[in-house]
Amino acid sequence: MAEIHPIVWFIEICIFLLGVSIGHSIILLRIHREENRRKELELALLEKRSNLMSQSKRIASDLEEALYNAQVRQEIDDILRKS
């Protein structure tokens, strides 16, 4: 009976260490999934940002052109009013 106790303790220790290693692996898996999800969201934001930047550049150039045309028309109207 005395010989059985060390064997049982050894088996219990092995089972405990197996549980710890499985738990550690599960935690690491969840952390990696969360990191991957965060990276995917960052990439999606960067893609949307690049689209918005190109659209804003286009809008800015259109707005600049419209302001220039309005200024030219204002100057033409001022010249016509003087004469």
Side-chain angles (χ1 to χ4, degrees):
M1 193 70 164
E3 296 175 6
I4 296 177
H5 290 291
I7 294 173
V8 172
W9 289 347
F10 179 75
I11 292 172
E12 287 178 356
I13 290 172
C14 288
I15 290 172
F16 174 75
L17 292 176
L18 180 66
V20 169
S21 67
I22 289 173
H24 183 261
S25 298
I26 290 172
I27 290 172
L28 285 179
L29 179 65
R30 287 184 180 176
I31 289 172
H32 287 298
R33 283 183 183 170
E34 186 67 31
E35 288 176 357
N36 288 341
R37 187 178 307 129
R38 188 178 314 123
K39 288 178 183 178
E40 288 174 359
L41 290 174
E42 287 177 3
L43 286 175
L45 285 175
L46 287 176
E47 288 175 2
K48 288 184 179 183
R49 181 179 178 199
S50 66
N51 289 340
L52 289 175
M53 291 295 284
S54 64
Q55 289 177 356
S56 66
K57 286 180 183 178
R58 188 175 347 112
I59 291 171
S61 66
D62 291 346
L63 182 60
E64 184 179 353
E65 184 179 339
L67 288 174
Y68 176 76
N69 289 338
Q71 185 179 7
V72 168
R73 287 184 184 199
Q74 182 67 36
E75 290 176 5
I76 291 172
D77 289 344
D78 289 346
I79 292 171
L80 291 176
R81 286 183 193 160
K82 289 181 182 178
S83 54

